[in-house]
Structures are given as structure tokens and as C-alpha cells.
Amino acid sequence: MRPPPRIPAAPAADLLCLAPGPIRRELRRRRWLSSATSLHAPRPVSLQPLAGAGFFLSNRLFERSGCLESLVAARRSRATSSYSATTTTADAPPAPTELPPHRRRRAQKQAEAGLRYPDSSLPANASTTLANLAAAQPANSLRRILPTLFSLSKPRLTVLVVLTAMAPYALYPVPEMLTPPMTDTPSLSPLTLLFLTTGTALCSASANALNMLYEPSTDAKMSRTRNRPLVRKLISTRSAALFAMLAGAAGVCALFYGVNPTVSFLGLSNIVLYAGIYTPLKAVTAFNTWVGAVVGGIPPLMGWAAAAGEAATNDGSWRELLFAADGSSAGGWLMAALLFAWQFPHFMALSWGIREEYKAAGLRMLAWTNPARNSRVALRYSLVFIPICLGLCAAGVTEPVFALTSLPINLWLVREAVRFWRYEGHKGSARGLFWATVWHLPGVMILALLHKKGMWSRAWKSAFGTPDDDGMWEEEELEEMATMTAARVAETAVKP
């Protein structure tokens, strides 16, 4: 007799449903205890009492279908994925095409700056921009050499130095800016101004190139200087030294022959102070900032001495140009004091933002050696601009109204310096003081030029004249004509 076919046993869950009441409760209790004590699957339970129910158990040939569970799980997964996608889309910034035009342009500029200078925490300066431009050109080509040499000269700093020399030259109290043969009064020569600006620019370029030659190792450690040409090997050390010497020699000679020896000596002194004293002191003491401030105060003296040489009545020596007995040289020293004082709030605010880089490079700046003193020094020197502007009025360089018109911009600088001192650079106070100094210097100089002593009265007289002046000139002309007529009559009488 053939044995009956064997039917596979049903799953334990189905057996639990078909078991009698007492056994079902016992199995549930054991499963609950098992799940509560560990995460392992429950131990199999003996189903010997259910052997008599084989016919009913054998009719269930398949396990329970998971179709419904799969549908529910799929729906949950779709809901989760759509939620995550919605969240990601909401958190993501808008596409560039969805931004307004001005923000789109700004975002594009920021992206380009990030690609060019990914490691820099500050905007690229002119030297960095020129170095990148030179690096993209063929080696040993003129298109590479010229940007590299301009980068060595620190063009923005050089332009600032030249402007600080031109402003006192224009402020010197002489009536016109004409060549001497064209007027009987003392005047300023455009040719002298050309030699002054050219020589000052060359001296500044020489000093800046020597500065880069001295500290390529420290420049490589700072984000704002690591792209300089000597750090990136865009030019050899010998070529950079040759450029510095030629620029310095040409600048000193241009000032000597085109202006006067006093201005030439001041230009040479600035090269020595900046490259020979200030640069090495940066790694020794925080007093280097005061030496750098002296360097910044010399160009105004150069411009004033150049103008004084045009109107000199004696030997034109350095004593007459810088220490005149009548006190006419006070204006030059006041302009030098203005630039000397301006260096401190400007540099203290600038150095605070990169104090950790100065510290890593081994350059001793008050921003990290003594932050409290750093803010006090900035505040202290920001207070002297009001007395300096009053002094320019008292010295006869500007009109008295200059003290009033310059007061708002001076008070703005003092306000930002007070915030910088109170928060020691935090809460955006360093950034606020830095931008205040950036706008303060050109603002004060432009106001001083607009209020130059006697400038507007001479302009008014030259354009419209005055009745008194016309009458005076008529009397002088009549007297001169009468004198000339009498002389001719006498000559005629003497002749036979």
C-alpha cells in the first residue's frame, strides 16, 4: 500500500491561530517573555498536542500573502522620499536664474572669486590680481613681465602715496598753477608736479619690491600675501632686486633734478625706512607700526617741500623749505601729522581681522600681542584729526569754514573708533572702523582742497572782477601812459 503524501507543515503563526485556547494563551505568554528579555526570535514550542488536527493543518499549503504589506510599505516609502525631496528643495538656495539681476551679478562675482582664491579669507588685492594675470601668460613674455613688475610695486599703495604727495603740493598757498613766465606772482609748475609724481611713484615701487624681497617666507603663510610674485616664483630674486634698485635710483634722480635736493633726500629716506627698518622690525616688536606711520607721513612733506621750492626766495635749502622762519612750513607738517595719525586706526582695524595669520607668520602686531592696547591706540589717534583740521585753518592753508565742514567726517571716525575700543574689534566694529578710515582720508583731503585759502575769492575776481579793482587798474594805466608820454617828450626835446 502506497504511503500518503507528506504535506509541509504550516507556519507557527497559523498553528497558533488553530490551537486550543489554553495552549494559545501559553504560547503568547512565552513569546511575550521572549521578546521582552531579548531581541532573538522566540524558541520553537512543541506542537505535539496538535497532531490530531493534521487534516485541517494540511489543507493550508501556502503561507500568508505579503501583497498587502508590500503595498503599504511602498506607499510609505514614496511619502518619505517626497517629503525629503520637498525639504531639500525648500532648504536649497534659489537658482541663479530666479534671482534679481543685481544679486545674480553679485553671486557670479562671488563664485568667480571663490574659484580663483579658494583659500583666501580676504578679497584679492591688486598685487594678487596682477600676479594671477601674469601667471596665465607665456613664460618670459612681455605680457608676463609687465604685470609681474607692477605687482612688485603694490600699485594701490603706490597710488595712495602719490596722491598724499600731490594734495599738499596743491594746497601750498600760492595763487595759481602756471609756469613762472606767465605770471608775475609765485606759481606752481606742472612740470615740477610731473617730476614729483613720477619720482614718488618710483621710490614707492622700489620700497615695496624690497619689502617683498625680504619676507617671501612670511608672505607664503598669509592669505592676503601668498599670491605675490616672489612667492609664486613668477620672477627670480635677482630680477626683482634689479627692478628695485633701478626704480629707486630713477626715482631719486627724478626728484633731485626735476624738483629739488630736499625732496630727493626725503624720497631716499622713505625707501630706507620702509625696506630697511620697518620691514625687519615687524618680526621683532609691535613698535614697527609707529615706524610705518612715519613712512606714511613723509610723502606729504615731499609735496609741500616741492611747492615751497617753487616759491623760495633765498637759497632753497632744507631749512627754508621745511623750517621756514615765518612759519609758512607749518602746513606741510600738519599734513604729515594727518597722514601719520591716519595710519593707526586704519591699520589697527585691518590687522585685527587677520590677527591669527600675523601670529602664525611670526609678525608682531598689537592686534594679537595686546588687543586691548590695539583698540586704545586706534581711538587715541582718531581724536587728533579735529585739532589738525583746526591747525590747517590757523596756519592759513585752508579757509576757517574747513574746520566746520570736516567736523562731521571726523566725528564719524571717532564714533567708529569708540565702538572698536568698546568691543575690541568684535560685533563688526573692526570692519566699521576700517571702512570709515577708507572714506575719511580722501574726504578730508578733498574738503581741504575745496577750502584752500583764497581760492574761491581769486576765482570770483578772475571771472567777474570788482568795481574797486577796475578803478584801481584804470588809474594805474593812466599813470603809466602819462609817464610814457612824458618820457617820449623828453627824448624828443633832447634830440637836435
Side-chain angles (χ1 to χ4, degrees):
M1 184 175 183
R2 183 179 299 177
R6 299 184 61 183
I7 301 175
D14 297 336
L15 294 176
L16 181 61
C17 297
L18 298 175
I23 297 176
R24 188 165 57 248
R25 285 194 295 272
E26 179 65 20
L27 290 175
R28 287 177 179 171
R29 186 181 66 83
R30 291 185 182 183
R31 180 178 295 179
W32 178 82
L33 291 174
S34 172
S35 62
T37 56
S38 66
L39 296 177
H40 299 288
R43 296 180 180 179
V45 183
S46 176
L47 297 176
Q48 293 297 331
L50 300 178
F55 174 78
F56 300 99
L57 297 179
S58 61
N59 287 338
R60 189 176 180 91
L61 300 179
F62 304 100
E63 296 183 1
R64 188 174 62 178
S65 174
C67 181
L68 183 59
E69 286 81 354
S70 63
L71 292 175
V72 174
R75 184 173 182 181
R76 288 179 179 176
S77 64
R78 284 196 301 270
T80 305
S81 61
S82 63
Y83 172 77
S84 60
T86 305
T87 305
T88 306
T89 305
D91 296 339
T97 55
E98 300 176 359
L99 295 173
H102 63 284
R103 293 193 177 183
R104 194 184 312 157
R105 290 190 295 268
R106 184 171 61 182
Q108 184 178 0
K109 291 180 180 179
Q110 292 176 353
E112 292 176 356
L115 291 175
R116 291 181 184 178
Y117 320 105
D119 299 329
S120 178
S121 58
L122 293 175
N125 52 36
S127 295
T128 298
T129 304
L130 289 171
N132 285 314
L133 178 63
Q137 305 302 323
N140 300 324
S141 64
L142 187 62
R143 291 180 298 174
R144 181 167 185 163
I145 294 174
L146 289 180
T148 302
L149 295 181
F150 277 114
S151 178
L152 281 174
S153 65
K154 298 182 183 177
R156 288 182 183 173
L157 180 58
T158 297
V159 169
L160 176 64
V161 170
V162 171
L163 291 177
T164 56
M166 292 175 63
Y169 184 82
L171 280 173
Y172 190 81
V174 294
E176 300 180 54
M177 190 174 177
L178 299 171
T179 53
M182 298 179 62
T183 177
D184 295 332
T185 57
S187 58
L188 298 181
S189 170
L191 185 60
T192 303
L193 179 61
L194 176 62
F195 277 102
L196 173 66
T197 55
T198 304
T200 303
L202 289 172
C203 289
S204 177
S206 174
N208 292 327
L210 291 173
N211 171 266
M212 292 190 189
L213 278 167
Y214 187 85
E215 49 184 14
S217 58
T218 56
D219 285 345
K221 299 177 182 178
M222 301 182 64
S223 61
R224 63 189 295 264
T225 57
R226 65 180 54 161
N227 286 315
R228 286 178 174 175
L230 285 171
V231 179
R232 300 180 62 177
K233 307 297 183 183
L234 297 177
I235 188 173
S236 64
T237 303
R238 180 179 301 178
S239 300
L242 180 62
F243 168 75
M245 290 187 293
L246 290 177
V252 172
C253 291
L255 294 174
F256 185 87
Y257 292 104
V259 188
N260 57 61
T262 301
V263 178
S264 177
F265 175 76
L266 290 174
L268 179 61
S269 301
N270 229 15
I271 297 175
V272 174
L273 279 174
Y274 187 77
I277 299 178
Y278 165 72
T279 302
L281 278 180
K282 290 166 68 177
V284 178
T285 173
F287 185 71
N288 67 82
T289 307
W290 277 260
V291 179
V294 172
V295 174
I298 288 180
L301 275 182
M302 295 171 63
W304 190 270
E310 293 289 303
T313 56
N314 296 324
D315 57 351
S317 64
W318 61 272
R319 290 185 180 89
E320 182 182 2
L321 301 185
L322 299 179
F323 302 97
D326 59 353
S328 59
S329 58
W333 290 101
L334 286 170
M335 292 299 296
L338 179 72
L339 266 294
F340 175 83
W342 179 83
Q343 308 288 328
F344 292 95
H346 177 75
F347 182 74
M348 299 309 180
L350 172 66
S351 61
W352 189 90
I354 52 176
R355 59 194 182 281
E356 295 300 330
E357 294 190 10
Y358 276 121
K359 185 176 181 179
L363 302 179
R364 301 190 63 81
M365 303 296 171
L366 282 179
W368 69 268
T369 59
N370 194 338
R373 187 186 178 193
N374 183 70
S375 58
R376 289 198 304 270
V377 169
L379 175 60
R380 186 182 308 146
Y381 282 95
S382 67
L383 295 173
V384 305
F385 292 106
I386 297 176
I388 289 175
C389 293
L390 290 173
L392 289 173
C393 299
V397 179
T398 61
E399 298 286 353
V401 71
F402 171 67
L404 182 62
T405 57
S406 63
L407 186 61
I409 193 170
N410 287 329
L411 291 178
W412 175 41
L413 183 67
V414 171
R415 173 183 175 274
E416 295 298 333
V418 169
R419 291 187 66 250
F420 183 71
W421 165 73
R422 179 180 300 173
Y423 300 118
E424 293 188 0
H426 299 282
K427 297 185 179 181
S429 58
R431 182 173 61 253
L433 179 59
F434 172 77
W435 285 110
T437 58
V438 168
W439 290 104
H440 175 269
L441 182 62
V444 169
M445 286 191 170
I446 291 173
L447 288 174
L449 291 171
L450 291 176
H451 296 297
K452 180 181 177 180
K453 186 72 173 181
M455 183 181 67
W456 292 108
S457 60
R458 288 192 301 269
W460 179 269
K461 290 178 182 179
S462 63
F464 302 103
T466 59
D468 295 339
D469 291 344
D470 294 339
M472 181 181 66
W473 281 108
E474 290 177 0
E475 293 177 0
E476 291 178 357
E477 289 176 357
L478 290 174
E479 292 177 359
E480 186 178 357
M481 292 175 63
T483 304
M484 293 174 62
T485 303
R488 288 179 182 177
V489 170
E491 290 178 0
T492 305
V494 172
K495 289 181 180 180

